[in-house]
Amino acid sequence: MLLTTSLFLSANIFSQTQNSVDDVKRLITRAKTAYSIREYQDALKEYQKIQQLVPEYPDIYKAIGEVYEKLGEDDDLKA
């Protein structure tokens, strides 16, 4: 019984992690698509969602900076 519970919990944790990875991949695709068609506000929203999910992902800060640069929001870019 304990082994079954342990295996179930491990599978559940792995599943949640995989779902998170899939969510982030989906958000990245949406953000890049929005950016490529010059929908910068939409791209920014998607990048900010990614930032909330994985704040340790360094490329997200570069992407957000690039969006702010396109939007011309210098105050946000400096921050």
Side-chain angles (χ1 to χ4, degrees), residues 1-78:
M1 179 69 168
L2 183 58
L3 179 61
T4 304
T5 303
S6 178
L7 290 174
F8 175 75
L9 290 175
S10 295
N12 192 26
I13 290 169
F14 177 76
S15 175
Q16 289 176 354
T17 301
Q18 187 59 43
N19 288 340
S20 296
V21 170
D22 291 343
D23 289 344
V24 171
K25 286 180 181 179
R26 187 172 35 259
L27 289 170
I28 288 171
T29 300
R30 288 170 38 183
K32 286 182 177 182
T33 300
Y35 187 90
S36 71
I37 61 172
R38 299 180 180 176
E39 295 290 336
Y40 300 122
Q41 285 293 339
D42 291 338
L44 180 60
K45 289 176 187 176
E46 299 304 319
Y47 283 134
Q48 288 172 331
K49 290 177 188 175
I50 298 165
Q51 181 185 22
Q52 292 296 313
L53 291 172
V54 280
E56 66 279 357
Y57 180 50
D59 291 345
I60 197 63
Y61 297 98
K62 181 178 185 279
I64 289 171
E66 289 172 353
V67 172
Y68 280 135
E69 188 174 35
K70 291 291 186 182
L71 290 171
E73 299 179 19
D74 291 335
D75 292 337
D76 290 324
L77 184 59
K78 290 175 186 175

